Amino acid sequence: MSIEKSTKAARGTVQCENTNINLLKANDFVADIIKKEMAKSKTLLVNITSSAGSGKTTLMQETASRLKDKIKMAVMVGDLETERDAERIRETGIQALQIVTGGICHLEAQMIHQVLPEYKLDDIDLLFIENVGNLVCPASFDLGEDYRVTLMATTEGDDKPKKYPRMFLTSDMMLVSKSDLLPYVPFSVEAVIKDAREVNHEIEVLQISSTSGEGIDTWCDWLLEKVKAKKEA
């Protein structure tokens, strides 16, 4: 039995109070609007998630440096405070806007939709959402993305997929980041892949390091393939 894609599995799956269920329904309604806008402009929307400090912003910088001359791309960044991450990404020469949540531990579809007018979607091939660093709340909110990609840093420990299963269940790809630190940390790549695929047997896995460059070309090729497919859809 196949597991549904992230943009479906994340919808309305949280068991909680009725007010929160209504919130998820409202979120899904706005997410559907975002999907339609992305389909109209043929812009690939990728939601990047992870816990704090897993290397999302550094990955965005490295990805922008390698792809900005091949495709048109932009990033929207979610964080509780400051514009530091967006500033770092803008230094690579691509558009990046910061969504300051003011303490909210995740991004919601309404936040994304309110920021979209700042982008000329018809001129953007690939739009990243760099979500708030958190493996819990962001898992429940569909942002209208085509793909959800979760970073799993070697510095975090290899037990996260089973401890935070909903995030890995709703993700299309797991990036094992900071692989250059593997000789120095007690982290098993085999164990984290095993746990992730027991949660979601369809999840793709790639080992990367934004510092050494390991796996980054493969990551960029994956993105280019998905951009092409979106254009041809």
Side-chain angles (χ1 to χ4, degrees):
M1 179 179 178
S2 64
I3 297 174
E4 293 181 312
K5 294 295 245 181
S6 64
T7 50
K8 296 180 181 178
R11 299 164 67 91
T13 57
V14 175
Q15 301 298 316
C16 50
E17 298 297 330
N18 287 338
T19 53
N20 289 334
I21 290 174
N22 290 335
L23 173 62
L24 287 175
K25 288 181 178 179
N27 181 86
D28 292 347
F29 177 80
V30 180
D32 285 338
I33 295 174
I34 295 172
K35 292 178 197 294
K36 291 176 181 177
E37 294 188 20
M38 294 298 117
K40 182 180 179 181
S41 64
K42 296 188 179 296
T43 302
L44 185 74
L45 184 61
V46 179
N47 182 8
I48 304 291
T49 62
S50 78
S51 57
S54 293
K56 295 189 299 299
T57 304
T58 304
L59 178 62
M60 293 295 92
Q61 290 177 292
E62 189 63 24
T63 304
S65 296
R66 294 181 183 230
L67 291 184
K68 65 181 181 180
D69 294 329
K70 298 180 179 180
I71 59 174
K72 297 175 182 178
M73 56 188 297
V75 183
M76 58 176 69
V77 185
D79 235 330
L80 276 64
E81 298 291 345
T82 82
E83 286 218 7
R84 291 180 178 178
D85 289 351
E87 289 171 355
R88 287 173 56 191
I89 295 169
R90 283 195 290 266
E91 289 174 357
T92 66
I94 69 169
Q95 182 182 12
L97 297 177
Q98 188 89 34
I99 301 174
V100 178
T101 67
I104 298 175
C105 60
H106 59 273
L107 293 176
E108 299 176 11
Q110 181 179 351
M111 301 175 187
I112 304 303
H113 193 250
Q114 287 177 334
V115 176
L116 281 182
E118 301 296 325
Y119 297 86
K120 294 181 179 180
L121 292 179
D122 289 336
D123 294 330
I124 296 176
D125 301 310
L126 171 59
L127 177 59
F128 284 111
I129 299 169
E130 183 185 324
N131 218 313
V132 178
N134 183 354
L135 286 175
V136 184
C137 304
S140 299
F141 289 85
D142 182 357
L143 303 182
E145 69 263 33
D146 294 293
Y147 296 95
R148 178 175 294 178
V149 176
T150 296
L151 272 67
M152 175 74 257
T154 60
T155 51
E156 298 178 73
D158 51 34
D159 59 348
K160 296 300 183 293
K162 288 290 183 73
K163 294 180 70 174
Y164 305 98
R166 191 177 303 280
M167 179 59 80
F168 295 88
L169 175 64
T170 61
S171 293
D172 301 287
M173 176 178 280
M174 176 177 71
L175 298 178
V176 180
S177 63
K178 303 186 181 182
S179 62
D180 55 299
L181 297 179
L182 279 170
Y184 314 105
V185 293
F187 184 97
S188 169
V189 175
E190 293 76 12
V192 79
I193 293 175
K194 179 177 180 292
D195 279 1
R197 286 191 170 147
E198 286 180 1
V199 171
N200 176 0
H201 71 270
E202 291 187 341
I203 195 168
E204 296 184 61
V205 180
L206 179 61
Q207 187 171 307
I208 66 166
S209 169
S210 297
T211 301
S212 71
E214 179 186 359
I216 300 299
D217 285 340
T218 303
W219 160 244
C220 289
D221 288 343
W222 184 86
L223 290 169
L224 291 173
E225 176 187 330
K226 300 306 182 185
V227 167
K228 181 180 179 183
K230 185 67 177 281
K231 296 295 184 185
E232 296 175 348

